[in-house]
Amino acid sequence: MRAVRLVQIGKWLQEQDVAVPGIDVSDVLIRVAAAGICHSDAHYRAGISKIDRLPLILGHEIAGRVEKVGSDVTHLSAGDRVCVHYLVHCGSCEFCVRGLEQFCRSGEMIGKHRDGGYAEFIRVPGANAFPLPDEIPFEVGAIMMCSSATALHALSKARFKPGESIAIFGFGGLGFSALQLSRAFDCRDVYVVEINPAKLASAAKMGAIAIDARAADPVEQIKESTAGRGVDVALELIGSAKTMRQAVLCLGSLGRAALVGLTGESISIHPYTELINREAEIIGVSDHLATEIPALIEFARSGKLRFLPETLCVVGLDAAQINGALDALQDSIDHVRTVIVSEL
Ligand SMILES: [Zn+2]
Ligand SMILES: [Zn+2]
């Protein structure tokens, strides 16, 4: 089969001919229809995130059709449309038995620790393949399995409830999904904090209150707009100490700040005035869980989570096009997602 592999860190991915993977009794073989090109793939190629084994087929945002099913897999048949949960877990360690597979002792991420979806076929454990309803295009089925799934997990970690207000810091792929999912939860006001005028405009068009962080302190703007109360939940999706602090400071009493963006920086907090006095919480968010995928699929099936065609850029399973898309991601984080689409 054709596969586009990372052969050497810091170099362009290469198109290579490799064997179609064989499957175990608990696996399925999927003919890949769509594979999202993610910002983390650009980090793997550049060596910013460490890859243990090379060569490696990248790609962790995958949807396609089941080609072959192992004898132990009972929930799928050949020809079924599926999307893939990217965390492969053992199912038996102390975390897996509690449904917390993102901490699995022997967990592997598809497209990082094992071969991913920049290929004609991929082998995954049957437990990682979820039926994809016909209403959801393969491209959407693929890209929602990363940033949308993590946005949903962040809302769940923040215990976001109907009628609550939310501030979303950063309007890239995560923010784009977080805004739509917040509205699907029947939220009150959604504030989107950004510095990019185009992103502020598209957030406003989607019903958010756009907060231009260049114009004035976003915390002051949110406080003013909420008559001094602050918001119930803040999601930090950028990964900067400055916006993490702002996410905490814009909370009202009993507010929860969920930190999703990654940074090596420290943040300083004044415990009494900023947390204790308000019983506010800071919550870390990492990846998402298999148990959350069915709800995510239902949001997409019912049209509450949408990626309109103009927010997607389509390329073929072609090394030059994929490398070009990864180059573009190194320069900017856009909510326009690039997806590799193969004719099925
Ligand atoms: Zn991703
Ligand atoms: Zn485990």
Side-chain angles (χ1 to χ4, degrees):
M1 67 173 186
R2 285 188 304 123
V4 174
R5 301 204 289 184
L6 178 61
V7 179
Q8 211 184 331
I9 300 295
K11 293 271 160 50
W12 271 32
L13 309 188
Q14 292 178 26
E15 187 172 321
Q16 297 181 332
D17 226 343
V18 301
V20 174
I23 60 166
D24 231 326
V25 288
S26 59
D27 291 334
V28 292
L29 183 71
I30 298 168
R31 185 184 285 269
V32 179
I37 298 179
C38 183
H39 208 252
S40 19
D41 298 326
H43 284 174
Y44 302 148
R45 190 186 63 167
I48 296 167
S49 310
K50 211 174 152 293
I51 292 282
D52 299 328
R53 50 156 280 221
L54 290 173
L56 177 76
I57 304 172
L58 298 186
H60 55 269
E61 305 177 358
I62 303 152
R65 263 188 211 282
V66 175
E67 181 81 10
K68 226 192 261 178
V69 180
S71 55
D72 284 359
V73 179
T74 54
H75 70 295
L76 294 169
S77 317
D80 285 353
R81 303 173 88 245
V82 288
C83 52
V84 174
H85 173 46
Y86 63 56
L87 291 175
V88 174
H89 58 288
C90 75
S92 56
C93 71
E94 74 266 37
F95 293 110
C96 283
V97 295
R98 289 159 61 203
L100 302 170
E101 77 271 9
Q102 80 267 54
F103 308 118
C104 175
R105 293 274 174 206
S106 52
E108 288 184 327
M109 178 163 168
I110 291 170
K112 182 180 184 188
H113 304 114
R114 51 190 284 153
D115 279 333
Y118 292 5
E120 288 180 87
F121 295 95
I122 183 172
R123 169 184 76 96
V124 302
N128 284 70
F130 287 77
L132 183 68
D134 289 339
E135 296 95 321
I136 307 175
F138 283 118
E139 305 88 277
V140 174
I143 57 173
M144 73 180 188
M145 298 305 282
C146 183
S147 53
S148 308
T150 301
L152 182 62
H153 184 58
L155 291 171
S156 143
K157 291 293 292 180
R159 308 188 304 282
F160 187 60
K161 292 186 288 295
E164 291 196 320
S165 56
I166 183 167
I168 297 168
F169 288 78
F171 200 60
L174 279 158
F176 184 74
S177 297
L179 168 55
Q180 296 186 66
L181 292 169
S182 306
R183 294 174 63 88
F185 273 87
D186 270 333
C187 61
R188 222 168 62 198
D189 293 335
V190 186
Y191 299 87
V192 167
V193 182
E194 253 296 339
I195 54 171
N196 178 320
K199 290 183 180 179
L200 284 164
S202 77
K205 216 168 122 194
M206 290 168 68
I209 300 165
I211 300 286
D212 184 349
R214 294 161 311 170
D217 178 5
V219 176
E220 292 305 318
Q221 294 186 65
I222 291 170
K223 283 281 164 84
E224 203 180 304
S225 173
T226 55
R229 281 194 303 274
V231 289
D232 298 305
V233 165
L235 299 186
E236 202 285 339
L237 310 173
I238 297 166
S240 115
K242 187 176 173 189
T243 44
M244 283 179 182
R245 249 193 81 66
Q246 290 170 346
V248 175
L249 294 180
C250 73
L251 296 176
S253 300
L254 301 171
R256 289 89 67 199
L259 308 186
V260 186
L262 304 180
T263 176
E265 299 171 277
S266 300
I267 60 169
S268 66
I269 293 293
H270 191 290
Y272 174 54
T273 54
E274 291 168 10
L275 293 180
I276 297 168
N277 204 20
R278 297 184 289 157
E279 292 202 340
E281 299 169 56
I282 301 175
I283 298 165
V285 177
S286 177
D287 278 325
H288 50 266
L289 300 168
T291 50
E292 294 165 329
I293 302 299
L296 182 73
I297 291 173
E298 182 51 28
F299 282 129
R301 193 200 61 75
S302 61
K304 289 177 174 163
L305 175 69
R306 292 161 64 186
F307 290 85
L308 296 175
E310 60 266 30
T311 63
L312 300 178
C313 170
V314 171
V315 298
L317 181 59
D318 171 275
Q321 289 182 44
I322 295 170
N323 282 304
L326 289 168
D327 289 348
L329 277 174
Q330 274 176 337
D331 304 328
S332 78
I333 304 173
D334 208 343
H335 65 244
V336 174
R337 310 285 290 177
T338 304
V339 191
I340 305 163
V341 173
S342 306
E343 297 290 328
L344 282 195

